[in-house]
Amino acid sequence: MKKLPKIGLLYLDYVLRFFDKSNFKGWPDKIETVTYHWGNDKARFINEVRRKEIDVLIGNIPATAYETFREIAAALPNVRFIPSIETQFSNKSKENVTLFCKKYGLSIPHTEIFYDKEEGYNYLKTCKYPQIIKRSYGPSNYGGYYVHKVDNYEEAKALLDEKKYIPIYTQDAIPLKYKGDIRVMLIGHKPVCAFWRFAGSDQWITNTSQGGSMSYENVPMNALELAVEASKAAKAEYWACDIAIDENTDKAYILECATAFAAFPYIRDWIGQYIMWDLSEGRFRLPHVPLYSWEELGKISPSLLRTMRHIHFAKYEPSADGAYWLEDKGNFDMEKTEPSSPDDIPESIKPEDEDKLPEVVKETLYVKSDVEVDDEDEKFELKDITLTNLLTLQGIDEDSAVKIKEMIDNGEINSLEDLKQYDFIPEVLIDSWKKYFKG
Ligand SMILES: Nc1ncnc2c1ncn2[C@@H]1O[C@H](COP(=O)(O)OP(=O)(O)O)[C@@H](O)[C@H]1O
Ligand SMILES: [Mg+2]
């Protein structure tokens, strides 16, 4: 029997783990793990992958580490990343999602992205309304915290004067059917789970964590088809799309797509099984997930569904009376993905050299909107702050966040004031962070 490739799971400190070894049930060989420690960890990480003789590194790379991992992948040309670095391009920012969709002609709301503030404001003077303005950078799913609806130029200007988002990312608002959008999850380009998410009664935005609701019923075929198209364009082993349906035309539009998404363990089991099939040249069985089976699974209470593992469907063998449900509706097959290549990545629209940008622009590239944080409970305690929270601070970069985290953990600083003794963060910036901290 042919030797199986050596699998490594890719982890990052402080980042939730999508996969666990248990998702690869039955894999006969040892599964390695490699953890990236942030900061200056590239060389050590590369060496560990080499030393453990890993052939396949499986896992999602968060937005803040995307560029670093492009370099790491380049240094490990014989290691297959699942999903590939190119496939994960859309994880980095909304700008990237848009560039990806434009390159592959996927249906999206009309979207404009401006690094030049004047140009952006000029566009907003003449475009149609409502517009949805978003902060482009960073992980998505802040639950709409950085997503704003504006009804005219005055509102757009007031918003951007305050938030100072660069790039200015603005798109036509789609009149949402049922005031909701649709999440579709795919494995090997086959939809395996899909549901509507509806806005709460006082919201325009669909946010299930703030009183919105969801339904596994009646996900339209054109949403599934668009998600499959995107998954194929991304060459994604696994993929999720958020899709809006225009209530007037029923046309489907991609709002977001990525390999990073929240999924119940049984879905991650299916992904693991799919990957084992892919890597073993058929020694492992492809998971069989009937289309629309989510409508039935969705009837199980979420608390129970969350604990269910390794759900298995056998293929339907027609014998007695045709049981409609066991027959696979639609024509989607789970397939092997095409290998990615570097020119899959869309061309950048970001100004050549970020450093040449005026200082104010640079600072807002990674901006957390400086909304006032009134609620004392929502403020950070310096000693308990996570790296993820540090990375949301205005004007901070990855290396500084890591350095500050280390200093806190080592007891070198006990307050923001202490940080001023060191010279890697400007004092004005430190002062601007105070409103996010207790005390
Ligand atoms: N162009 C749009 N038209 C209508 N609604 C939108 C549009 N873009 C976003 N939304 C709504 O805002 C929600 C959050 O937007 P999204 O781009 O998914 O940001 P995030 O999930 O990162 O907060 C969506 O789920 C959808 O309900
Ligand atoms: Mg979203």
Side-chain angles (χ1 to χ4, degrees):
M1 229 181 309
K2 240 181 111 187
K3 202 167 153 276
L4 293 167
K6 180 103 168 256
I7 294 179
L9 299 182
L10 193 171
Y11 293 146
L12 293 97
D13 280 341
Y14 315 110
V15 176
L16 283 181
R17 296 170 174 193
F18 191 76
F19 292 113
D20 177 85
K21 285 176 189 169
S22 67
N23 297 123
F24 299 84
K25 189 172 146 187
W27 190 254
D29 302 334
K30 179 170 188 216
I31 294 177
E32 301 283 354
T33 60
V34 201
T35 305
Y36 182 73
H37 300 310
W38 297 97
N40 232 331
D41 197 37
K42 244 181 297 180
R44 191 208 56 79
F45 183 92
I46 291 166
N47 284 335
E48 186 174 335
V49 174
R50 288 196 182 126
R51 184 167 47 77
K52 292 182 168 167
E53 298 182 329
I54 288 166
D55 301 304
V56 182
L57 256 184
I58 302 171
N60 290 320
I61 297 153
T64 39
Y66 183 72
E67 297 304 331
T68 305
F69 269 85
R70 279 177 77 160
E71 293 170 35
I72 290 175
L76 296 166
N78 297 321
V79 173
R80 173 173 169 194
F81 283 71
I82 296 182
S84 74
I85 302 297
E86 290 82 6
T87 297
Q88 299 205 46
F89 178 78
S90 293
N91 293 5
K92 190 185 167 188
S93 62
K94 296 189 194 301
E95 170 181 330
N96 280 16
V97 170
T98 302
L99 295 179
F100 162 73
C101 290
K102 283 186 175 168
K103 173 163 173 151
Y104 294 98
L106 300 162
S107 167
I108 48 168
H110 181 90
T111 306
E112 297 285 342
I113 303 169
F114 301 96
Y115 275 87
D116 185 283
K117 188 177 148 184
E118 284 304 311
E119 274 179 39
Y121 278 52
N122 281 336
Y123 171 77
L124 289 164
K125 280 177 192 159
T126 55
C127 67
K128 67 180 228 192
Y129 281 90
Q131 287 285 302
I132 308 293
I133 296 180
K134 309 181 185 184
R135 190 186 79 151
S136 164
Y137 188 79
S140 49
N141 290 315
Y142 273 118
Y145 192 68
Y146 299 114
V147 176
H148 317 269
K149 188 178 198 172
V150 289
D151 286 323
N152 49 51
Y153 174 68
E154 288 65 40
E155 283 181 28
K157 182 178 180 313
L159 178 85
L160 288 169
D161 284 350
E162 186 206 330
K163 307 283 185 200
K164 303 187 171 64
Y165 294 158
I166 297 286
I168 294 175
Y169 179 105
T170 186
Q171 69 184 192
D172 291 358
I174 305 299
L176 296 179
K177 189 163 186 167
Y178 308 139
K179 293 200 168 26
D181 59 15
I182 298 165
R183 162 71 51 91
V184 184
M185 301 178 193
L186 307 100
I187 304 175
H189 310 321
K190 175 164 184 168
V192 297
C193 184
F195 47 84
W196 285 92
R197 299 181 303 177
F198 306 110
S201 52
D202 55 342
Q203 298 166 298
W204 68 274
I205 221 164
T206 57
N207 186 344
T208 43
S209 65
Q210 280 180 33
S213 59
M214 58 186 282
S215 164
Y216 289 90
E217 303 289 321
N218 296 321
V219 172
M221 190 54 86
N222 66 332
L224 303 183
E225 283 163 353
L226 179 56
V228 169
E229 215 188 313
S231 171
K232 287 186 175 169
K235 302 177 176 172
E237 289 83 0
Y238 55 96
W239 189 248
C241 269
D242 286 348
I243 290 176
I245 307 290
D246 186 318
E247 66 177 353
N248 302 316
T249 63
D250 276 333
K251 191 171 153 68
Y253 298 90
I254 292 179
L255 295 182
E256 287 197 284
C257 54
T259 71
F261 52 93
F264 284 156
Y266 72 90
I267 290 178
R268 290 180 259 155
D269 290 335
W270 287 339
I271 299 173
Q273 200 186 333
Y274 168 81
I275 292 173
M276 294 198 295
W277 167 78
D278 182 340
L279 298 180
S280 69
E281 288 164 20
R283 232 168 99 184
F284 287 88
R285 176 178 86 74
L286 196 59
H288 174 60
V289 184
L291 201 70
Y292 286 105
S293 56
W294 56 80
E295 289 191 351
E296 298 303 310
L297 286 175
K299 291 172 185 164
I300 299 170
S301 84
S303 56
L304 192 57
L305 204 49
R306 197 170 285 126
T307 62
M308 291 176 70
R309 296 296 306 267
H310 300 288
I311 297 176
H312 168 112
F313 299 102
K315 282 230 167 66
Y316 173 57
E317 307 287 350
S319 54
D321 29 59
Y324 180 61
W325 265 110
L326 295 175
E327 217 171 340
D328 206 340
K329 299 182 212 167
N331 271 324
F332 304 112
D333 285 328
M334 209 175 265
E335 297 169 35
K336 215 162 167 146
T337 54
E338 298 281 323
S340 294
S341 76
D343 49 274
D344 291 341
I345 288 191
E347 254 170 70
S348 172
I349 55 162
K350 206 182 259 184
E352 271 283 292
D353 186 355
E354 244 175 56
D355 294 334
K356 284 199 198 118
L357 291 172
E359 207 55 33
V360 279
V361 176
K362 234 167 63 186
E363 233 181 61
T364 55
L365 268 176
Y366 309 104
V367 70
K368 173 187 164 82
S369 71
D370 42 6
V371 283
E372 288 303 322
V373 184
D374 294 327
D375 191 347
E376 207 43 39
D377 288 343
E378 279 178 24
K379 294 189 181 180
F380 302 134
E381 189 89 70
L382 190 75
K383 68 174 170 46
D384 302 326
I385 196 166
T386 63
L387 187 66
T388 314
N389 284 336
L390 276 169
L391 282 163
T392 65
L393 293 175
Q394 175 166 1
I396 203 163
D397 60 277
E398 181 194 316
D399 288 346
S400 310
V402 170
K403 195 159 165 183
I404 295 172
K405 176 78 182 134
E406 279 171 7
M407 292 167 81
I408 296 168
D409 291 347
N410 298 338
E412 286 166 52
I413 55 168
N414 296 307
S415 68
L416 280 181
E417 210 50 40
D418 293 350
L419 196 55
K420 291 187 179 170
Q421 302 160 30
Y422 305 86
D423 58 5
F424 65 102
I425 306 277
E427 286 198 14
V428 280
L429 207 52
I430 297 174
D431 285 332
S432 78
W433 293 343
K434 284 197 173 148
K435 57 180 174 288
Y436 304 117
F437 286 85
K438 288 194 169 135

